[in-house]
């Protein structure tokens, strides 16, 4: 999956006692109701954030992960996390994300009936 948005916040890398490392970023999606989405980068992927600045527009390749946890009282809870694995900077021209547009070399569409002058009726019925 991919998310596109503007980098809202970059956090410092965290190293845990086990040697595990993670670094988080928040992007603000570009839609009618923008959403701040927290994305974590793990281990060797934390270096992907090194050349980013807040305010840049990016497209992030993500995986959504879920896990189950049972409390000491026996209550089961479910947690989700969004893990990034790829980042592409997007050229920001100040508008909505661009969509594929028709080729400029395409011929204009005509409203004329292409069969209007065709008197040869070869239909069997």
């Amino acid at each position: 999956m991919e998310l596109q948005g503007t980098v809202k916040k970059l956090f410092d890398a965290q190293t845990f006692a086990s040697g595990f490392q993670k670094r988080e970023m928040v992007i603000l999606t570009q839609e009618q109701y923008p959403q701040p989405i927290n994305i974590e980068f793990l281990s060797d992927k934390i270096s992907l954030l090194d050349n980013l600045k807040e305010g840049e527009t990016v497209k992030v390749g993500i995986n959504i992960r879920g896990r189950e946890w049972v409390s000491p009282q026996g209550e089961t809870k479910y947690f989700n996390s969004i893990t990034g694995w790829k980042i592409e900077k997007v050229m920001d021209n100040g508008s909505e994300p661009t969509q594929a547009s028709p080729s400029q070399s395409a011929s204009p569409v005509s409203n004329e009936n292409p069969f209007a002058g065709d008197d040869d009726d070869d239909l069997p019925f």
Side-chain angles (χ1 to χ4, degrees), residues 18-50:
S18 63
F20 174 76
Q21 292 183 314
K22 80 173 184 176
R23 186 171 179 194
E24 297 175 324
M25 71 179 286
V26 176
I27 67 169
L28 192 60
T29 61
Q30 299 169 336
E31 52 195 355
Q32 183 178 359
Y33 301 106
Q35 301 293 310
I37 306 292
N38 186 59
I39 304 170
E40 54 186 27
F41 291 79
L42 310 176
S43 303
D44 61 332
K45 300 296 182 189
I46 64 174
S47 63
L48 295 174
L49 301 177
D50 290 345

Side-chain angles (χ1 to χ4, degrees), residues 99-108:
Q99 296 180 1
S101 59
S103 171
Q104 296 294 342
S105 63
S107 58

Side-chain angles (χ1 to χ4, degrees), residues 5-111:
T6 304
V7 178
K8 181 177 174 119
K9 180 79 174 155
L10 290 167
F11 295 94
D12 293 329
Q14 298 173 313
T15 303
F16 299 90
S18 63
F20 174 76
Q21 292 183 314
K22 80 173 184 176
R23 186 171 179 194
E24 297 175 324
M25 71 179 286
V26 176
I27 67 169
L28 192 60
T29 61
Q30 299 169 336
E31 52 195 355
Q32 183 178 359
Y33 301 106
Q35 301 293 310
I37 306 292
N38 186 59
I39 304 170
E40 54 186 27
F41 291 79
L42 310 176
S43 303
D44 61 332
K45 300 296 182 189
I46 64 174
S47 63
L48 295 174
L49 301 177
D50 290 345
N51 296 320
L52 289 183
K53 296 182 182 121
E54 292 178 7
E56 289 184 311
T57 302
V58 294
K59 186 184 297 184
V60 184
I62 62 166
N63 291 326
I64 299 176
R65 297 184 177 186
R67 60 190 174 279
E68 181 179 278
W69 177 73
V70 180
S71 72
Q73 295 78 23
E75 183 181 4
T76 303
K77 294 192 176 200
Y78 297 91
F79 297 92
N80 299 317
S81 61
I82 301 173
T83 306
W85 54 273
K86 175 180 82 168
I87 296 180
E88 296 175 26
K89 290 185 182 182
V90 175
M91 292 306 205
D92 188 13
N93 58 6
S95 65
E96 291 295 314
T98 56
Q99 296 180 1
S101 59
S103 171
Q104 296 294 342
S105 63
S107 58
V109 177
S110 171
N111 289 333

Side-chain angles (χ1 to χ4, degrees), residues 105-125:
S105 63
S107 58
V109 177
S110 171
N111 289 333
E112 294 179 27
N113 182 353
F115 305 108
D118 192 2
D119 293 333
D120 184 20
D121 188 7
D122 60 350
L123 294 176
F125 46 88

